Amino acid sequence: MATTQTESQSETESDSEGQSPSYHHSISIQPSKHEAPEYDRTEVVFVKVPASMSETFNSGPECGSTVLSDLFDDAELTFDGVEEFGWPVADGMMFAFRAYTPSRQSSVQRKTTDFSSDVDSLPEPLHTTYQKLKAELPESLEIRTGLLPMGAFDSSPALGTRLVMENQNQKPAGREKVADADANALFESLAGEPFLYHALYRRSSQLPESNEYQVTVRIFLFNPKYKISTESEYADCLRFGRKCDPADSFANLGVSSSLAVIDDGYNVSWLDQEGVMPARDSELPHFSTGQSLITGKAEFDQMRRGQYGASDVLENRCAYTSLLAREIDLEHYVGLGTVDPGVDPWQKAPQATGPDIDEVGIDPDEILPDEVTISVDAPVEDTAFDQEPTTANDGTEDHWIAIKNVAVAFETEGYDVVIVRQDTGSRPDLWVRRDDGEIFAVEVEYRTRSKAGSFYTNLIRQAVWGYKTITVMVPQTDENGRTESLDTLGNWALNSLAVPMKKRDPIKTRVHNCSGEIVVNGKTMLLPDGVAEAKWWLTCDSEYLLIHDDEILARGDATEPFEAFEFNVPRYYEDGDHYVVENKYGKPVQTCSEESGIENTKLRPCHRPVDLSYIQFVEALYCYDPEAQELVQQDMTAHWDVEQASTRNEQSHQQAFETFLVEHENDDPILERECRPFIKDWIEQLSTHDHPGNHIFGEYRKDYYARKRISTELGMEYSYPGVSFRYPRGLVSPDLPGLDTKPAFPEGWNIAAEDVLREPLIHGLDDRSEIGSGAKTEAEPESDA
């Protein structure tokens, strides 16, 4: 059954874009190939159920179900569908019903009018709807008619969702399931929240049985705390889950919400923790163009415009967007139960004031929402450092608790576990020994996504000494008690290990920042005025560049200490009892008595990568489940790890070439024998199907970069002209951490270090003695990562 748009609908849509009042309007339905008849969808029947009736009004659900059944069984008037709206008011619940038929009705937009004084003059199908409700509902309930001004609910909902089927399933919802997931359950779970509940009931000849109905349910929440306005807010949503998903009330039906289905197609970007990326096969838009889909605004606009179909994107991701229910189950969906919020819930979100029954029938300009300004909360400070625990990393109390919990979990798994103490001179959070005698360092990572540089630093320490690490990600809990998704957390860790880059552009690579500071000749480097974050880039020529607005603020060779870099930035130093700030030319520009008075931001050092990927440093990746108090091992496989060999090979190589290689203007081509082994090993580590064969492409081969044969000392070889690694592998800087932290294993284990330690895992580093003496001093203080 198709819907078409009338002239009055077009005018209303235009108004809604300008944020002016929006009303339900006329559309036409085309049930067959005949001329599309029009019908009026502006008038509705209102019923107010006061909170005082919550104990005495017990027949409401059955009566509501009877009304639906009577409407569809009416012999004189054919009904195509019935809609129900419900929303809380200060002292109960408001309900609005309307039915419509394929018969022609006026499509003229009417002025809001109260028809209750002359019920007999109501047009069809409103007249029949009113009569059915009047006959079935208790006389104590006031039934009125009028127009429903949807603009009063605001044109930008905080959260809009519908129930959707995730799998191919045409089975009707069973009575035992609906009993625990009906409208009353929804009202109770959302008590105190300003929301709009909308259900559409249809009985079609296309349904399996004549006594079965399609039920499409939408719920819209208007509280500002649910709004998603920025990409970083959506990233937090993917990490922690949505603050409220109304579809949870209907979980017993085996359905999900449209937003949950959409969320499954997005991931937090591994290049930027505040960014999100759609999955490659999802066909979903980026946040910049898909925000209305992500927030549910597109669903809300469709509902306001009289459309009950889902968007094409949602239709493609869900087998069905309507539930099927038998007539006996309708009483649960149409239940007229009440909630007592105690206070007017709409006052929490005055931009979404819900109209009471006395407001129906007045001039719509008088019920427009007041403008409201929503304050922005300041960022929450990290908890203070607690130096009491003598762990190796001496981080926050939360980190200390995480270490103990993870230690217990490994003991439960049968490992011999020792929490590292500072006096051992070693750095991992834990040592664990498997029953076969194999020893691993365990890094317990907490609050690492804002400190990816520290995350990598911990791994480099172990790589320097030649043994692999087990990494355990511990989810954070926000101030509302929500815990991060383990899947999202595990994906972030895997992507960060596979590609330790913050951002990429065609000629250089942005690297993560570390904590700490850069001191040159006793002066601490600062960022220029108005610059809050250091943006370090690493080039294929082994040069670090600090860039802001296309201006190079610092530069230096990748294997030189920071003290040898060129800096064009302010700096400060302590002079007696005060601090002096100099500009980049050495001229004093500020003097203050306290270090906190310095206006400029400190220049943080960058993480200095030692390879293009760190996946080879990690033996296993776990997430700690705080509810089950157990370790959940994460599959270290990439999204392209599929059964189809041609697809797997092509997509894996495409990602590798796009990620690790960059165009280079020099005349030195990169030889295939230099990059191919790395790419093969990288693919093998991220796949369950072993490394690619020598002839991995066959007829599926793509030239991501032009390849040709050139003459070398070894004869004719394949090479890629004008291409190099994004930055050289095996970069070793003098301040590489690790050499002064030689591991000391637990005394009780009776193990000599030389029996465990191996040569460095870092590519091109055959012996630790090749690292300069500058490594004896740690460049970065220990953090809680």
Side-chain angles (χ1 to χ4, degrees), residues 560-590:
E560 292 293 327
F562 282 112
E563 290 83 350
F565 281 30
E566 299 176 11
F567 291 97
N568 294 313
V569 296
R571 61 211 67 189
Y572 80 95
Y573 60 93
E574 186 175 3
D575 185 9
D577 59 352
H578 63 278
Y579 295 87
V580 178
V581 179
E582 297 177 343
N583 62 17
K584 63 181 180 180
Y585 303 109
K587 179 181 179 181
V589 293
Q590 182 187 4

PDB file of all heavy atoms in Angstrom, residues 560-590:
ATOM      1  N   GLU A 560      66.345  11.380  16.849  1.00  0.00           N
ATOM      2  CA  GLU A 560      67.066  12.323  17.705  1.00  0.00           C
ATOM      3  C   GLU A 560      66.242  12.617  18.954  1.00  0.00           C
ATOM      4  O   GLU A 560      65.009  12.524  18.940  1.00  0.00           O
ATOM      5  CB  GLU A 560      67.334  13.636  16.951  1.00  0.00           C
ATOM      6  CG  GLU A 560      68.323  13.517  15.803  1.00  0.00           C
ATOM      7  CD  GLU A 560      69.723  13.205  16.280  1.00  0.00           C
ATOM      8  OE1 GLU A 560      70.105  13.672  17.382  1.00  0.00           O
ATOM      9  OE2 GLU A 560      70.433  12.469  15.570  1.00  0.00           O
ATOM     10  N   PRO A 561      66.889  13.006  20.048  1.00  0.00           N
ATOM     11  CA  PRO A 561      66.136  13.396  21.257  1.00  0.00           C
ATOM     12  C   PRO A 561      65.388  14.707  21.024  1.00  0.00           C
ATOM     13  O   PRO A 561      65.752  15.495  20.135  1.00  0.00           O
ATOM     14  CB  PRO A 561      67.220  13.536  22.314  1.00  0.00           C
ATOM     15  CG  PRO A 561      68.467  13.845  21.545  1.00  0.00           C
ATOM     16  CD  PRO A 561      68.351  13.085  20.251  1.00  0.00           C
ATOM     17  N   PHE A 562      64.355  14.938  21.821  1.00  0.00           N
ATOM     18  CA  PHE A 562      63.585  16.178  21.660  1.00  0.00           C
ATOM     19  C   PHE A 562      64.465  17.411  21.861  1.00  0.00           C
ATOM     20  O   PHE A 562      64.209  18.470  21.284  1.00  0.00           O
ATOM     21  CB  PHE A 562      62.420  16.213  22.660  1.00  0.00           C
ATOM     22  CG  PHE A 562      61.251  15.360  22.250  1.00  0.00           C
ATOM     23  CD1 PHE A 562      60.914  14.219  22.961  1.00  0.00           C
ATOM     24  CD2 PHE A 562      60.494  15.697  21.141  1.00  0.00           C
ATOM     25  CE1 PHE A 562      59.836  13.445  22.586  1.00  0.00           C
ATOM     26  CE2 PHE A 562      59.407  14.923  20.752  1.00  0.00           C
ATOM     27  CZ  PHE A 562      59.076  13.785  21.474  1.00  0.00           C
ATOM     28  N   GLU A 563      65.514  17.285  22.685  1.00  0.00           N
ATOM     29  CA  GLU A 563      66.387  18.434  22.931  1.00  0.00           C
ATOM     30  C   GLU A 563      67.080  18.918  21.656  1.00  0.00           C
ATOM     31  O   GLU A 563      67.514  20.071  21.569  1.00  0.00           O
ATOM     32  CB  GLU A 563      67.444  18.073  23.981  1.00  0.00           C
ATOM     33  CG  GLU A 563      66.893  17.893  25.391  1.00  0.00           C
ATOM     34  CD  GLU A 563      66.323  16.501  25.617  1.00  0.00           C
ATOM     35  OE1 GLU A 563      66.191  15.739  24.628  1.00  0.00           O
ATOM     36  OE2 GLU A 563      65.966  16.181  26.757  1.00  0.00           O
ATOM     37  N   ALA A 564      67.170  18.036  20.656  1.00  0.00           N
ATOM     38  CA  ALA A 564      67.839  18.401  19.406  1.00  0.00           C
ATOM     39  C   ALA A 564      66.882  18.968  18.374  1.00  0.00           C
ATOM     40  O   ALA A 564      67.314  19.364  17.292  1.00  0.00           O
ATOM     41  CB  ALA A 564      68.553  17.167  18.831  1.00  0.00           C
ATOM     42  N   PHE A 565      65.591  19.052  18.694  1.00  0.00           N
ATOM     43  CA  PHE A 565      64.603  19.569  17.748  1.00  0.00           C
ATOM     44  C   PHE A 565      64.695  21.091  17.645  1.00  0.00           C
ATOM     45  O   PHE A 565      65.224  21.775  18.535  1.00  0.00           O
ATOM     46  CB  PHE A 565      63.184  19.197  18.201  1.00  0.00           C
ATOM     47  CG  PHE A 565      62.793  17.769  17.887  1.00  0.00           C
ATOM     48  CD1 PHE A 565      63.733  16.758  17.827  1.00  0.00           C
ATOM     49  CD2 PHE A 565      61.474  17.439  17.682  1.00  0.00           C
ATOM     50  CE1 PHE A 565      63.378  15.449  17.559  1.00  0.00           C
ATOM     51  CE2 PHE A 565      61.093  16.130  17.411  1.00  0.00           C
ATOM     52  CZ  PHE A 565      62.050  15.126  17.345  1.00  0.00           C
ATOM     53  N   GLU A 566      64.179  21.627  16.554  1.00  0.00           N
ATOM     54  CA  GLU A 566      64.020  23.078  16.402  1.00  0.00           C
ATOM     55  C   GLU A 566      62.619  23.458  16.881  1.00  0.00           C
ATOM     56  O   GLU A 566      61.627  22.890  16.422  1.00  0.00           O
ATOM     57  CB  GLU A 566      64.191  23.486  14.933  1.00  0.00           C
ATOM     58  CG  GLU A 566      65.545  23.161  14.343  1.00  0.00           C
ATOM     59  CD  GLU A 566      65.595  23.506  12.865  1.00  0.00           C
ATOM     60  OE1 GLU A 566      64.653  24.182  12.381  1.00  0.00           O
ATOM     61  OE2 GLU A 566      66.543  23.092  12.187  1.00  0.00           O
ATOM     62  N   PHE A 567      62.521  24.425  17.780  1.00  0.00           N
ATOM     63  CA  PHE A 567      61.242  24.846  18.335  1.00  0.00           C
ATOM     64  C   PHE A 567      60.996  26.320  18.053  1.00  0.00           C
ATOM     65  O   PHE A 567      61.873  27.165  18.307  1.00  0.00           O
ATOM     66  CB  PHE A 567      61.194  24.602  19.857  1.00  0.00           C
ATOM     67  CG  PHE A 567      61.167  23.154  20.247  1.00  0.00           C
ATOM     68  CD1 PHE A 567      62.337  22.493  20.605  1.00  0.00           C
ATOM     69  CD2 PHE A 567      59.970  22.450  20.254  1.00  0.00           C
ATOM     70  CE1 PHE A 567      62.316  21.152  20.967  1.00  0.00           C
ATOM     71  CE2 PHE A 567      59.937  21.106  20.622  1.00  0.00           C
ATOM     72  CZ  PHE A 567      61.112  20.456  20.974  1.00  0.00           C
ATOM     73  N   ASN A 568      59.834  26.624  17.515  1.00  0.00           N
ATOM     74  CA  ASN A 568      59.391  28.007  17.349  1.00  0.00           C
ATOM     75  C   ASN A 568      58.134  28.217  18.188  1.00  0.00           C
ATOM     76  O   ASN A 568      57.068  28.570  17.686  1.00  0.00           O
ATOM     77  CB  ASN A 568      59.104  28.307  15.877  1.00  0.00           C
ATOM     78  CG  ASN A 568      60.364  28.253  15.027  1.00  0.00           C
ATOM     79  OD1 ASN A 568      61.382  28.829  15.396  1.00  0.00           O
ATOM     80  ND2 ASN A 568      60.292  27.549  13.916  1.00  0.00           N
ATOM     81  N   VAL A 569      58.278  27.960  19.488  1.00  0.00           N
ATOM     82  CA  VAL A 569      57.142  28.026  20.407  1.00  0.00           C
ATOM     83  C   VAL A 569      57.572  28.783  21.654  1.00  0.00           C
ATOM     84  O   VAL A 569      58.777  28.923  21.942  1.00  0.00           O
ATOM     85  CB  VAL A 569      56.660  26.612  20.798  1.00  0.00           C
ATOM     86  CG1 VAL A 569      56.138  25.861  19.580  1.00  0.00           C
ATOM     87  CG2 VAL A 569      57.759  25.821  21.486  1.00  0.00           C
ATOM     88  N   PRO A 570      56.606  29.269  22.436  1.00  0.00           N
ATOM     89  CA  PRO A 570      56.957  29.886  23.720  1.00  0.00           C
ATOM     90  C   PRO A 570      57.528  28.834  24.675  1.00  0.00           C
ATOM     91  O   PRO A 570      57.421  27.626  24.439  1.00  0.00           O
ATOM     92  CB  PRO A 570      55.621  30.445  24.227  1.00  0.00           C
ATOM     93  CG  PRO A 570      54.713  30.435  23.055  1.00  0.00           C
ATOM     94  CD  PRO A 570      55.162  29.330  22.156  1.00  0.00           C
ATOM     95  N   ARG A 571      58.105  29.314  25.747  1.00  0.00           N
ATOM     96  CA  ARG A 571      58.653  28.430  26.773  1.00  0.00           C
ATOM     97  C   ARG A 571      58.690  29.171  28.097  1.00  0.00           C
ATOM     98  O   ARG A 571      58.554  30.389  28.133  1.00  0.00           O
ATOM     99  CB  ARG A 571      60.040  27.958  26.367  1.00  0.00           C
ATOM    100  CG  ARG A 571      61.036  29.108  26.194  1.00  0.00           C
ATOM    101  CD  ARG A 571      62.065  28.775  25.151  1.00  0.00           C
ATOM    102  NE  ARG A 571      61.456  28.684  23.825  1.00  0.00           N
ATOM    103  CZ  ARG A 571      62.111  28.226  22.761  1.00  0.00           C
ATOM    104  NH1 ARG A 571      63.360  27.832  22.854  1.00  0.00           N
ATOM    105  NH2 ARG A 571      61.512  28.170  21.591  1.00  0.00           N
ATOM    106  N   TYR A 572      58.849  28.417  29.176  1.00  0.00           N
ATOM    107  CA  TYR A 572      58.928  29.103  30.477  1.00  0.00           C
ATOM    108  C   TYR A 572      59.977  28.420  31.348  1.00  0.00           C
ATOM    109  O   TYR A 572      60.367  27.269  31.110  1.00  0.00           O
ATOM    110  CB  TYR A 572      57.568  29.119  31.160  1.00  0.00           C
ATOM    111  CG  TYR A 572      57.191  27.835  31.873  1.00  0.00           C
ATOM    112  CD1 TYR A 572      57.438  27.675  33.240  1.00  0.00           C
ATOM    113  CD2 TYR A 572      56.579  26.784  31.191  1.00  0.00           C
ATOM    114  CE1 TYR A 572      57.091  26.506  33.898  1.00  0.00           C
ATOM    115  CE2 TYR A 572      56.224  25.607  31.839  1.00  0.00           C
ATOM    116  CZ  TYR A 572      56.488  25.479  33.200  1.00  0.00           C
ATOM    117  OH  TYR A 572      56.157  24.320  33.838  1.00  0.00           O
ATOM    118  N   TYR A 573      60.407  29.145  32.369  1.00  0.00           N
ATOM    119  CA  TYR A 573      61.394  28.614  33.308  1.00  0.00           C
ATOM    120  C   TYR A 573      61.161  29.271  34.659  1.00  0.00           C
ATOM    121  O   TYR A 573      60.517  30.321  34.788  1.00  0.00           O
ATOM    122  CB  TYR A 573      62.817  28.865  32.817  1.00  0.00           C
ATOM    123  CG  TYR A 573      63.168  30.324  32.622  1.00  0.00           C
ATOM    124  CD1 TYR A 573      63.772  31.083  33.649  1.00  0.00           C
ATOM    125  CD2 TYR A 573      62.887  30.979  31.419  1.00  0.00           C
ATOM    126  CE1 TYR A 573      64.077  32.415  33.467  1.00  0.00           C
ATOM    127  CE2 TYR A 573      63.201  32.304  31.227  1.00  0.00           C
ATOM    128  CZ  TYR A 573      63.790  33.024  32.251  1.00  0.00           C
ATOM    129  OH  TYR A 573      64.087  34.345  32.075  1.00  0.00           O
ATOM    130  N   GLU A 574      61.689  28.628  35.679  1.00  0.00           N
ATOM    131  CA  GLU A 574      61.567  29.144  37.042  1.00  0.00           C
ATOM    132  C   GLU A 574      62.777  30.017  37.349  1.00  0.00           C
ATOM    133  O   GLU A 574      63.923  29.613  37.144  1.00  0.00           O
ATOM    134  CB  GLU A 574      61.469  27.987  38.030  1.00  0.00           C
ATOM    135  CG  GLU A 574      61.185  28.435  39.454  1.00  0.00           C
ATOM    136  CD  GLU A 574      60.969  27.265  40.402  1.00  0.00           C
ATOM    137  OE1 GLU A 574      61.103  26.089  39.944  1.00  0.00           O
ATOM    138  OE2 GLU A 574      60.694  27.499  41.582  1.00  0.00           O
ATOM    139  N   ASP A 575      62.495  31.195  37.844  1.00  0.00           N
ATOM    140  CA  ASP A 575      63.550  32.143  38.185  1.00  0.00           C
ATOM    141  C   ASP A 575      63.320  32.626  39.612  1.00  0.00           C
ATOM    142  O   ASP A 575      62.538  33.544  39.864  1.00  0.00           O
ATOM    143  CB  ASP A 575      63.541  33.328  37.211  1.00  0.00           C
ATOM    144  CG  ASP A 575      64.711  34.275  37.460  1.00  0.00           C
ATOM    145  OD1 ASP A 575      65.603  33.926  38.251  1.00  0.00           O
ATOM    146  OD2 ASP A 575      64.709  35.372  36.861  1.00  0.00           O
ATOM    147  N   GLY A 576      63.996  31.968  40.544  1.00  0.00           N
ATOM    148  CA  GLY A 576      63.803  32.325  41.939  1.00  0.00           C
ATOM    149  C   GLY A 576      62.407  31.961  42.416  1.00  0.00           C
ATOM    150  O   GLY A 576      61.999  30.799  42.396  1.00  0.00           O
ATOM    151  N   ASP A 577      61.648  32.979  42.835  1.00  0.00           N
ATOM    152  CA  ASP A 577      60.309  32.743  43.386  1.00  0.00           C
ATOM    153  C   ASP A 577      59.208  33.020  42.370  1.00  0.00           C
ATOM    154  O   ASP A 577      58.046  33.169  42.742  1.00  0.00           O
ATOM    155  CB  ASP A 577      60.084  33.598  44.630  1.00  0.00           C
ATOM    156  CG  ASP A 577      60.221  35.087  44.332  1.00  0.00           C
ATOM    157  OD1 ASP A 577      60.638  35.420  43.196  1.00  0.00           O
ATOM    158  OD2 ASP A 577      59.924  35.903  45.223  1.00  0.00           O
ATOM    159  N   HIS A 578      59.554  33.122  41.103  1.00  0.00           N
ATOM    160  CA  HIS A 578      58.530  33.372  40.093  1.00  0.00           C
ATOM    161  C   HIS A 578      58.872  32.623  38.803  1.00  0.00           C
ATOM    162  O   HIS A 578      59.941  32.047  38.663  1.00  0.00           O
ATOM    163  CB  HIS A 578      58.396  34.882  39.821  1.00  0.00           C
ATOM    164  CG  HIS A 578      59.634  35.503  39.257  1.00  0.00           C
ATOM    165  ND1 HIS A 578      60.703  35.888  40.053  1.00  0.00           N
ATOM    166  CD2 HIS A 578      59.986  35.795  37.971  1.00  0.00           C
ATOM    167  CE1 HIS A 578      61.651  36.393  39.286  1.00  0.00           C
ATOM    168  NE2 HIS A 578      61.241  36.345  38.021  1.00  0.00           N
ATOM    169  N   TYR A 579      57.905  32.657  37.884  1.00  0.00           N
ATOM    170  CA  TYR A 579      58.048  31.970  36.610  1.00  0.00           C
ATOM    171  C   TYR A 579      58.031  32.993  35.476  1.00  0.00           C
ATOM    172  O   TYR A 579      57.254  33.949  35.505  1.00  0.00           O
ATOM    173  CB  TYR A 579      56.922  30.954  36.407  1.00  0.00           C
ATOM    174  CG  TYR A 579      56.951  29.819  37.405  1.00  0.00           C
ATOM    175  CD1 TYR A 579      56.323  29.943  38.637  1.00  0.00           C
ATOM    176  CD2 TYR A 579      57.625  28.637  37.117  1.00  0.00           C
ATOM    177  CE1 TYR A 579      56.357  28.910  39.568  1.00  0.00           C
ATOM    178  CE2 TYR A 579      57.655  27.593  38.025  1.00  0.00           C
ATOM    179  CZ  TYR A 579      57.025  27.737  39.249  1.00  0.00           C
ATOM    180  OH  TYR A 579      57.061  26.716  40.155  1.00  0.00           O
ATOM    181  N   VAL A 580      58.906  32.755  34.499  1.00  0.00           N
ATOM    182  CA  VAL A 580      59.025  33.677  33.371  1.00  0.00           C
ATOM    183  C   VAL A 580      58.637  32.936  32.090  1.00  0.00           C
ATOM    184  O   VAL A 580      59.144  31.837  31.818  1.00  0.00           O
ATOM    185  CB  VAL A 580      60.458  34.227  33.239  1.00  0.00           C
ATOM    186  CG1 VAL A 580      60.566  35.141  32.024  1.00  0.00           C
ATOM    187  CG2 VAL A 580      60.874  34.953  34.513  1.00  0.00           C
ATOM    188  N   VAL A 581      57.747  33.540  31.320  1.00  0.00           N
ATOM    189  CA  VAL A 581      57.332  32.981  30.038  1.00  0.00           C
ATOM    190  C   VAL A 581      57.957  33.807  28.925  1.00  0.00           C
ATOM    191  O   VAL A 581      57.843  35.038  28.916  1.00  0.00           O
ATOM    192  CB  VAL A 581      55.799  32.980  29.887  1.00  0.00           C
ATOM    193  CG1 VAL A 581      55.397  32.423  28.526  1.00  0.00           C
ATOM    194  CG2 VAL A 581      55.158  32.168  31.003  1.00  0.00           C
ATOM    195  N   GLU A 582      58.630  33.125  27.996  1.00  0.00           N
ATOM    196  CA  GLU A 582      59.240  33.795  26.862  1.00  0.00           C
ATOM    197  C   GLU A 582      58.502  33.417  25.584  1.00  0.00           C
ATOM    198  O   GLU A 582      57.956  32.311  25.464  1.00  0.00           O
ATOM    199  CB  GLU A 582      60.711  33.377  26.722  1.00  0.00           C
ATOM    200  CG  GLU A 582      61.593  33.753  27.889  1.00  0.00           C
ATOM    201  CD  GLU A 582      63.010  33.238  27.701  1.00  0.00           C
ATOM    202  OE1 GLU A 582      63.213  32.342  26.847  1.00  0.00           O
ATOM    203  OE2 GLU A 582      63.904  33.735  28.393  1.00  0.00           O
ATOM    204  N   ASN A 583      58.499  34.333  24.624  1.00  0.00           N
ATOM    205  CA  ASN A 583      57.942  33.976  23.329  1.00  0.00           C
ATOM    206  C   ASN A 583      58.985  33.190  22.537  1.00  0.00           C
ATOM    207  O   ASN A 583      60.086  32.923  23.028  1.00  0.00           O
ATOM    208  CB  ASN A 583      57.454  35.205  22.569  1.00  0.00           C
ATOM    209  CG  ASN A 583      58.575  36.181  22.258  1.00  0.00           C
ATOM    210  OD1 ASN A 583      59.759  35.837  22.321  1.00  0.00           O
ATOM    211  ND2 ASN A 583      58.218  37.403  21.909  1.00  0.00           N
ATOM    212  N   LYS A 584      58.641  32.834  21.309  1.00  0.00           N
ATOM    213  CA  LYS A 584      59.543  31.977  20.530  1.00  0.00           C
ATOM    214  C   LYS A 584      60.869  32.659  20.193  1.00  0.00           C
ATOM    215  O   LYS A 584      61.840  31.987  19.822  1.00  0.00           O
ATOM    216  CB  LYS A 584      58.857  31.517  19.263  1.00  0.00           C
ATOM    217  CG  LYS A 584      58.486  32.638  18.300  1.00  0.00           C
ATOM    218  CD  LYS A 584      57.774  32.068  17.080  1.00  0.00           C
ATOM    219  CE  LYS A 584      57.382  33.162  16.096  1.00  0.00           C
ATOM    220  NZ  LYS A 584      56.679  32.592  14.896  1.00  0.00           N
ATOM    221  N   TYR A 585      60.932  34.006  20.354  1.00  0.00           N
ATOM    222  CA  TYR A 585      62.174  34.728  20.087  1.00  0.00           C
ATOM    223  C   TYR A 585      63.008  34.916  21.336  1.00  0.00           C
ATOM    224  O   TYR A 585      64.081  35.530  21.287  1.00  0.00           O
ATOM    225  CB  TYR A 585      61.862  36.096  19.481  1.00  0.00           C
ATOM    226  CG  TYR A 585      61.038  36.012  18.217  1.00  0.00           C
ATOM    227  CD1 TYR A 585      59.708  36.409  18.214  1.00  0.00           C
ATOM    228  CD2 TYR A 585      61.580  35.518  17.037  1.00  0.00           C
ATOM    229  CE1 TYR A 585      58.932  36.330  17.068  1.00  0.00           C
ATOM    230  CE2 TYR A 585      60.819  35.426  15.882  1.00  0.00           C
ATOM    231  CZ  TYR A 585      59.489  35.834  15.905  1.00  0.00           C
ATOM    232  OH  TYR A 585      58.741  35.746  14.768  1.00  0.00           O
ATOM    233  N   GLY A 586      62.548  34.428  22.502  1.00  0.00           N
ATOM    234  CA  GLY A 586      63.284  34.568  23.746  1.00  0.00           C
ATOM    235  C   GLY A 586      62.962  35.827  24.524  1.00  0.00           C
ATOM    236  O   GLY A 586      63.622  36.116  25.526  1.00  0.00           O
ATOM    237  N   LYS A 587      61.946  36.590  24.113  1.00  0.00           N
ATOM    238  CA  LYS A 587      61.577  37.817  24.809  1.00  0.00           C
ATOM    239  C   LYS A 587      60.555  37.502  25.894  1.00  0.00           C
ATOM    240  O   LYS A 587      59.532  36.858  25.627  1.00  0.00           O
ATOM    241  CB  LYS A 587      60.990  38.820  23.823  1.00  0.00           C
ATOM    242  CG  LYS A 587      60.562  40.124  24.468  1.00  0.00           C
ATOM    243  CD  LYS A 587      59.971  41.067  23.431  1.00  0.00           C
ATOM    244  CE  LYS A 587      59.508  42.359  24.078  1.00  0.00           C
ATOM    245  NZ  LYS A 587      58.904  43.296  23.084  1.00  0.00           N
ATOM    246  N   PRO A 588      60.790  37.937  27.158  1.00  0.00           N
ATOM    247  CA  PRO A 588      59.827  37.692  28.233  1.00  0.00           C
ATOM    248  C   PRO A 588      58.482  38.371  27.937  1.00  0.00           C
ATOM    249  O   PRO A 588      58.445  39.548  27.551  1.00  0.00           O
ATOM    250  CB  PRO A 588      60.487  38.303  29.468  1.00  0.00           C
ATOM    251  CG  PRO A 588      61.951  38.320  29.145  1.00  0.00           C
ATOM    252  CD  PRO A 588      62.021  38.574  27.657  1.00  0.00           C
ATOM    253  N   VAL A 589      57.395  37.615  28.089  1.00  0.00           N
ATOM    254  CA  VAL A 589      56.071  38.162  27.811  1.00  0.00           C
ATOM    255  C   VAL A 589      55.124  38.013  28.998  1.00  0.00           C
ATOM    256  O   VAL A 589      54.049  38.598  29.014  1.00  0.00           O
ATOM    257  CB  VAL A 589      55.437  37.470  26.585  1.00  0.00           C
ATOM    258  CG1 VAL A 589      56.206  37.807  25.317  1.00  0.00           C
ATOM    259  CG2 VAL A 589      55.353  35.960  26.771  1.00  0.00           C
ATOM    260  N   GLN A 590      55.524  37.235  30.013  1.00  0.00           N
ATOM    261  CA  GLN A 590      54.666  37.059  31.182  1.00  0.00           C
ATOM    262  C   GLN A 590      55.522  36.639  32.373  1.00  0.00           C
ATOM    263  O   GLN A 590      56.480  35.880  32.237  1.00  0.00           O
ATOM    264  CB  GLN A 590      53.597  35.982  30.928  1.00  0.00           C
ATOM    265  CG  GLN A 590      52.628  35.793  32.097  1.00  0.00           C
ATOM    266  CD  GLN A 590      51.688  34.612  31.909  1.00  0.00           C
ATOM    267  OE1 GLN A 590      51.806  33.874  30.927  1.00  0.00           O
ATOM    268  NE2 GLN A 590      50.775  34.414  32.836  1.00  0.00           N
TER     269      GLN A 590
END
